Amino acid sequence: MIRKHIIAHGRVQGVGMRFTVIGFARKYHVTGWVRNLYDGTVEMEVQGAPHRVALFMDELTSREPGGNRFIHIDNLDISDIPPVNATSETDFNARF
């Protein structure tokens, strides 16, 4: 089990990014959360089996994530963080 902390920079707010990310997470069966930050970036934490997190990241970094032509990610700050207890986090949700 691995967990990544990600900050997405670019045109990532007001374009359906959080809902697109939630769709990826559910598609690849990873857990975590996503939220908009006040500086215009989007923050998320993603946890799951390494191959599932890799699939999630591949789709996130595609030219048009999820086929959404409005999302444009210029840069991702990615760091590995310790996993949380899997029984305390069973889904992927938006935080507000």
Side-chain angles (χ1 to χ4, degrees), residues 43-93:
E43 177 184 32
M44 62 192 93
E45 290 188 7
V46 181
Q47 177 171 303
H51 71 282
R52 293 187 181 279
V53 172
L55 290 169
F56 173 92
M57 294 299 299
D58 286 347
E59 191 147 4
L60 181 64
T61 58
S62 68
R63 186 166 180 250
E64 291 181 356
N68 185 329
R69 62 187 175 93
F70 300 108
I71 296 171
H72 180 79
I73 298 171
D74 293 328
N75 184 44
L76 292 174
D77 296 330
I78 305 168
S79 55
D80 295 321
I81 59 175
V84 299
N85 186 330
T87 59
S88 66
E89 184 179 80
T90 59
D91 200 3
F92 195 97
N93 297 299

Side-chain angles (χ1 to χ4, degrees), residues 21-40:
V21 167
I22 290 168
F24 295 164
R26 292 183 177 156
K27 178 178 179 179
Y28 297 115
H29 305 285
V30 295
T31 62
W33 52 266
V34 60
R35 69 178 169 192
N36 288 342
L37 296 179
Y38 291 108
D39 64 359

